């Protein structure tokens, strides 16, 4: 998949349409903006695929130069850019939220809004603006736009919240709970609740997740999604954010950036293992049969990964991969120990290569079949696992696989998933597979 200069992925259809921002005949930003503002033209591709800060500035310049509210153009624009595809890695998608840009476009539309505007388009624009304003903890805009949005709504209010996100994450409709929460937001009720929590204090690792989310939202406009690990000695808890696009740290008093360099979902892991000859430390834990968390250390670089089991697809899929790069290997080893010591209670550590009762720990690297160790054999296969290469003993099988892993990583491949698989027995020499 191609990538535009802003770093996001670009589909082949975009390149073929000749509308990528930038230089050259196939990168005509002005042409794309003209199409966005032409009522009779159809965008050759969704705005989300070509969005860049430069495109946003060009769109806003065109809007401000116009005489009307630009309802149709703004609706198309904010509907697309509210979720912009970000990093693609080993089949996983990280979504970015252009909240400030959505708010800027919505603000412009509200200033020029006139009675008689199509209520469906108006409600849609305002809805996206409200969600962004709530996530960004902009109390004034959120409350004012919510009042306008409810005027534009047709039909009866919903009785129950319909969104998958919480209110503080931008899950807003016109149910009684959201009406109450919007009033509380406008009246600074959430500020007061966060201040009371901070005054009460306590070790960061002992804070309930909902309390951390509230403090993060109010004080830093951030949204912790899931806990990576805790550093009990340093009184810090590390989190992946809501959109899996950054890492944040809570120290019991405030939300801060990580204290060591962090790289989230890189396109290649080669730079982190350039001088490595093997993996220095591993921790593997599973919750149930498939959901997992793991850590692998190469010198001073630590790779953390986590995956969730999806029943509809019958497998676990990786949610994130994070490289932590402290100054020394000793500090990196300490982070792995912190990770292991703070695993959730539902996660059970398993041997790093295989568990007799649960199977081989299979590792899937990009472009390769999943592979693990089972006794003196390698176990290979994506959905199942079959005994493949045979070695003199288990130690030799492990050494060979570690060497293969380093080769793949140094060639630019990435760890994309983990599995627990019970390999099928290797057929006997006289076993023809026929039924008795």
């Amino acid at each position: 998949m191609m990538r535009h200069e802003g770093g996001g992925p670009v589909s082949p259809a975009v390149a073929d349409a000749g509308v990528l921002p930038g230089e050259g005949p196939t990168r005509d930003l002005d042409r794309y903006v003209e199409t966005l503002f032409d009522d009779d033209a159809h965008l050759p591709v969704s705005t989300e695929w070509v969005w860049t800060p430069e495109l946003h500035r060009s769109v806003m310049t065109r809007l401000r130069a116009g005489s009307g509210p630009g309802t149709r153009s703004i609706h198309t624009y904010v509907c697309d850019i509210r979720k912009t595809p970000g990093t693609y890695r080993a089949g996983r998608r990280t979504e970015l939220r252009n909240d400030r840009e959505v708010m800027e476009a919505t603000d412009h539309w509200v200033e020029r809004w006139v009675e008689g505007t199509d209520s469906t388009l108006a409600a849609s624009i305002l809805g996206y603006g409200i969600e962004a304003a709530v996530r960004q903890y902009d109390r004034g805009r959120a409350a004012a736009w919510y009042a306008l949005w409810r005027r534009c709504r047709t039909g009866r209010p919903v009785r129950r919240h319909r969104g998958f996100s919480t209110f503080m994450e931008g899950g807003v409709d016109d149910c009684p709970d959201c009406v109450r929460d919007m009033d509380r937001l406008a009246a600074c009720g959430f500020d007061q609740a966060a201040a009371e929590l901070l005054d009460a204090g306590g070790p960061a690792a002992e804070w309930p997740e909902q309390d951390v989310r509230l403090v993060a939202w109010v004080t830093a406009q951030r949204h912790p999604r899931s806990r990576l690990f805790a550093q009990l000695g340093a009184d810090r808890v590390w989190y992946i954010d809501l959109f899996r696009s950054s890492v944040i740290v809570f120290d019991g008093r405030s939300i801060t950036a990580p204290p060591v360099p962090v790289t989230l979902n890189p396109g290649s892991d080669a730079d982190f293992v350039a001088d490595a000859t093997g993996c220095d430390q591993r921790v593997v834990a599973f919750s149930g049969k498939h959901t997992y968390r793991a850590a692998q250390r190469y010198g001073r670089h630590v790779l953390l990964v986590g995956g969730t089991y999806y029943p509809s697809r019958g497998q676990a899929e990786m949610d994130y991969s994070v490289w932590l790069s402290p100054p020394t290997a000793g500090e990196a080893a300490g982070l792995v120990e912190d990770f292991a010591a703070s695993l959730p209670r539902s996660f059970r550590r398993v041997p790093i290569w295989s568990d007799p009762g649960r199977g081989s720990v299979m590792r899937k690297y990009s472009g390769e079949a999943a592979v693990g160790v089972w006794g003196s054999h390698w176990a290979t296969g994506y959905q199942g696992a079959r005994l493949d290469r045979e070695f003199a003993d288990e130690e030799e099988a492990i050494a060979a696989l570690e060497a293969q892993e380093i080769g793949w990583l140094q060639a630019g491949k990435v760890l994309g998933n983990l599995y627990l698989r019970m390999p099928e027995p290797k057929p006997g020499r006289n076993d023809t597979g026929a039924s008795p």
Side-chain angles (χ1 to χ4, degrees):
M1 181 166 286
M2 299 178 61
R3 291 178 177 270
H4 62 62
E5 293 174 355
V10 174
S11 69
V14 179
D16 293 342
V19 294
L20 273 65
E23 301 175 353
T26 63
R27 296 173 177 258
D28 189 351
L29 182 147
D30 292 333
R31 175 185 163 195
Y32 188 86
V33 174
E34 288 288 340
T35 305
L36 179 66
F37 285 87
D38 186 343
D39 291 340
D40 298 322
H42 294 284
L43 291 174
V45 70
S46 179
T47 310
E48 64 174 318
W49 289 100
V50 295
W51 187 90
T52 62
E54 294 75 19
L55 176 61
H56 178 70
R57 287 193 290 271
S58 183
V59 169
M60 293 309 301
T61 298
R62 180 66 179 264
L63 286 170
R64 293 184 179 108
S67 57
T71 300
R72 188 202 65 84
S73 297
I74 289 180
H75 178 262
T76 300
Y77 185 62
V78 299
C79 181
D80 282 350
I81 71 164
R82 65 192 179 92
K83 285 197 303 185
T84 300
T87 303
Y88 279 75
R89 180 183 183 279
R92 289 176 292 104
R93 166 171 165 157
T94 298
E95 291 180 344
L96 309 178
R97 291 297 193 277
N98 301 308
D99 285 339
R100 298 190 184 281
E101 290 77 10
V102 169
M103 289 168 63
E104 184 180 4
T106 305
D107 216 8
H108 172 84
W109 180 84
V110 169
E111 289 176 359
R112 299 192 178 195
W113 175 79
V114 293
E115 293 288 349
T117 301
D118 184 293
S119 60
T120 301
L121 295 181
S124 184
I125 293 170
L126 289 165
Y128 297 138
I130 293 162
E131 292 171 359
V134 168
R135 277 194 295 268
Q136 293 294 316
Y137 204 72
D138 190 317
R139 297 190 307 271
R141 285 184 173 87
W145 293 347
Y146 190 65
L148 278 177
W149 178 77
R150 296 190 74 202
R151 285 173 51 191
C152 295
R153 288 276 297 160
T154 58
R156 300 173 63 181
V158 296
R159 294 184 177 182
R160 201 169 187 177
H161 185 62
R162 297 172 299 179
F164 292 104
S165 302
T166 68
F167 177 80
M168 67 181 68
E169 295 166 353
V172 183
D173 53 35
D174 56 357
C175 70
D177 287 345
C178 287
V179 173
R180 178 205 63 206
D181 285 341
M182 190 62 73
D183 290 341
R184 187 183 179 192
L185 179 71
C188 300
F190 290 110
D191 298 70
Q192 181 178 349
E196 291 172 354
L197 289 172
L198 290 170
D199 286 343
E206 295 180 7
W207 279 59
E209 299 299 296
Q210 191 65 14
D211 290 349
V212 176
R213 289 189 174 97
L214 173 63
V215 169
W217 177 46
V218 171
T219 64
Q221 292 74 60
R222 303 302 296 271
H223 300 275
R225 178 187 180 91
S226 58
R227 182 181 291 203
L228 278 175
F229 67 98
Q231 291 179 280
L232 300 180
D235 195 24
R236 287 192 289 249
V237 183
W238 297 54
Y239 291 89
I240 290 282
D241 82 342
L242 178 63
F243 309 116
R244 302 190 184 110
S245 59
S246 65
V247 173
I248 55 182
V249 175
F250 178 61
D251 63 5
R253 297 170 299 280
S254 62
I255 295 293
T256 65
V260 303
V262 169
T263 306
L264 188 66
N265 297 330
S268 167
D269 295 336
D271 291 343
F272 303 98
V273 298
D275 301 323
T277 57
C279 184
D280 300 303
Q281 225 172 339
R282 295 183 194 261
V283 174
V284 182
F286 277 82
S287 177
K289 173 78 175 179
H290 300 289
T291 297
Y292 64 85
R293 294 188 184 183
Q296 298 185 177
R297 180 175 70 85
Y298 301 85
R300 70 179 186 89
H301 302 288
V302 177
L303 174 64
L304 303 181
V305 297
T308 302
Y309 178 69
Y310 294 91
S312 62
R313 297 193 281 277
Q315 65 182 28
E317 295 179 8
M318 188 177 286
D319 293 324
Y320 60 81
S321 65
V322 181
W323 282 98
L324 311 180
S325 302
T328 69
E331 292 175 78
L335 291 175
V336 175
E337 291 168 3
D338 288 330
F339 170 84
S342 61
L343 284 165
R345 292 181 181 178
S346 62
F347 282 78
R348 170 193 164 195
R349 286 188 64 174
V350 300
I352 59 178
W353 293 110
S354 61
D355 183 282
R358 306 174 81 188
S360 176
V361 179
M362 312 280 288
R363 293 171 172 83
K364 174 74 172 67
Y365 287 85
S366 52
E368 304 292 338
V371 61
V373 171
W374 190 249
S376 61
H377 290 83
W378 279 7
T380 61
Y382 187 72
Q383 293 295 340
R386 65 183 184 277
L387 296 181
D388 196 353
R389 295 177 58 182
E390 185 174 7
F391 299 84
D393 52 32
E394 185 179 49
E395 289 185 3
E396 186 175 322
I398 291 171
L401 183 52
E402 284 198 315
Q404 181 66 82
E405 281 188 300
I406 286 293
W408 283 338
L409 289 169
Q410 291 176 340
K413 296 181 183 295
V414 294
L415 179 62
N417 219 343
L418 270 72
Y419 309 87
L420 269 175
R421 293 285 187 268
M422 186 65 73
E424 294 291 331
K426 198 173 184 67
R429 181 172 298 177
N430 299 321
D431 184 359
T432 61
S435 301

